[in-house]
DNA sequence: GCCATATAGTATCATATGCAACGATATTCG
DNA sequence: CGAATATCGTTGCATATGATACTATATGGC
């Protein structure tokens, strides 16, 4: 319909999966990030670190990096801020003097317990109206995209 | 299994949709961004502007903002760089002195024609092994998540 | 027609991100 | 044991991003 464009060889931005994925992710991440920031003054990396510690107990920063795909610098800065706020505690690693073991303090643990229901409520709101099978498929497909992208990047991200 | 953690009230980061979405999107965006940057010295915002112009012809920056969810500052900077490289041309808007109409130059158009197949090849690689119905559902679900997130943010993003 | 307000686009600033370099400790190999 | 190399975490830097303020123009009420 456009008068002078017509350069279109069948490429449509709106239908392009990487674009759709990025736009959807930005919308969702922005929503969640603002919620954590406004109510708890937590960034998303900080919240992720708290989650890993709540799930796995005492781990090193390197282990958090391996588990979350975050950059080690991001994890380092998140951990430092959480330390300053006494939400996590650090103990020297018993077998490696370069490393430390992080764990939630009681305060950090109770903050996690406070936020988790809110996080789940956001997820529930996002998937409201979707069939359970659709959600499961969505998560599976996202994992697959991540894995394929990792392989294409020549990365060692495992399947 | 962990000895002292056990703070887990059923919240698992790995199963959390916003997290999965963010990680998958970062992996895919990073892959695509590096490809465009390395081969064509284009950022993703620049590439998106080119795509909109290829599809829609002459539009204003404001229209690009409305169509792509990018910030107006991001679009402004992308457009300036593309102007400098003579990939797009600007003409004064005939009815609004504050605005301009952007369009691809011949050079910009041919760059778009060159990149589009590469972009489609990346998409094809990403979805290889998925059933067509799965891909269609994925795109539909992503659009829905974006829409719900927009509503929850109190935003005027239409359905 | 004139003033108040709204909008298009740009510039400025504050923050976030990730790469590269670094110091400290571990490990490997002669 | 000692030197070369690798790894953990931090720091510095260079870039990207988005909120805010600003300039110029447009629009609506009087």
């Amino acid at each position: 319909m456009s008068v002078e464009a017509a350069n279109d060889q069948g490429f449509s931005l709106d239908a392009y999966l990487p674009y759709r994925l990025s736009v959807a992710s930005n919308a969702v991440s922005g929503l969640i990030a603002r919620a954590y920031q406004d109510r708890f003054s937590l960034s998303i990396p900080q919240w992720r670190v708290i989650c890993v510690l709540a799930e796995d107990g005492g781990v090193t920063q390197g282990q958090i990096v391996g588990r979350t795909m975050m950059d080690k610098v991001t994890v380092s800065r998140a951990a430092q801020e959480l330390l300053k706020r006494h939400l996590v505690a650090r103990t020297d690693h018993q077998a490696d003097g370069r490393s430390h073991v992080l764990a939630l303090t009681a305060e950090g643990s109770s903050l996690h317990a406070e936020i988790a229901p809110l996080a789940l409520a956001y997820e529930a709101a996002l998937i409201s109206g979707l069939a359970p099978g659709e959600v499961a498929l969505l998560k599976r497909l996202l994992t697959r995209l991540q894995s394929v992208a990792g392989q294409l990047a020549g990365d060692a991200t495992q399947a």
Side-chain angles (χ1 to χ4, degrees), chain A:
Chain A
M1 264 59 173
S2 75
V3 183
E4 37 177 339
N7 279 320
D8 201 319
Q9 303 96 322
F11 183 85
S12 160
L13 190 59
D14 279 330
Y16 191 54
L17 181 62
Y19 172 70
R20 290 247 66 89
L21 185 59
S22 171
V23 171
S25 175
N26 284 346
V28 170
S29 286
L31 174 71
I32 302 279
R34 212 168 309 122
Y36 294 166
Q37 190 65 57
D38 291 349
R39 305 192 206 186
F40 307 102
S41 294
L42 284 180
S43 69
I44 285 191
Q46 287 165 12
W47 167 241
R48 287 180 183 172
V49 167
I50 288 176
C51 286
V52 171
L53 295 178
E55 285 180 55
D56 295 357
V59 296
T60 66
Q61 292 183 193
Q63 289 174 303
I64 297 176
V65 167
R67 197 147 154 356
T68 60
M69 313 296 295
M70 289 190 284
D71 192 84
K72 67 179 178 173
V73 179
T74 306
V75 171
S76 173
R77 288 192 273 238
Q80 281 174 318
E81 178 65 20
L82 295 175
L83 265 175
K84 222 179 299 176
R85 291 174 60 183
H86 304 291
L87 298 171
V88 312
R90 236 186 185 183
T91 55
D92 288 349
H93 189 103
Q94 130 193 64
D96 190 333
R98 298 165 302 181
S99 191
H100 325 275
V101 175
L102 300 178
L104 289 181
T105 61
E107 192 185 348
S109 188
S110 92
L111 185 63
H112 176 260
E114 186 182 356
I115 300 181
L118 175 72
L120 290 172
Y122 269 109
E123 184 179 47
L126 285 169
I127 66 180
S128 68
L130 304 186
E134 288 178 328
V135 177
L137 179 61
L138 174 61
K139 289 183 181 176
R140 197 167 64 70
L141 294 178
L142 289 174
T143 302
R144 164 134 187 114
L145 289 177
Q146 174 190 343
S147 162
V148 175
Q151 287 170 234
L152 289 177
D155 188 86
T157 310
Q158 87 297 350

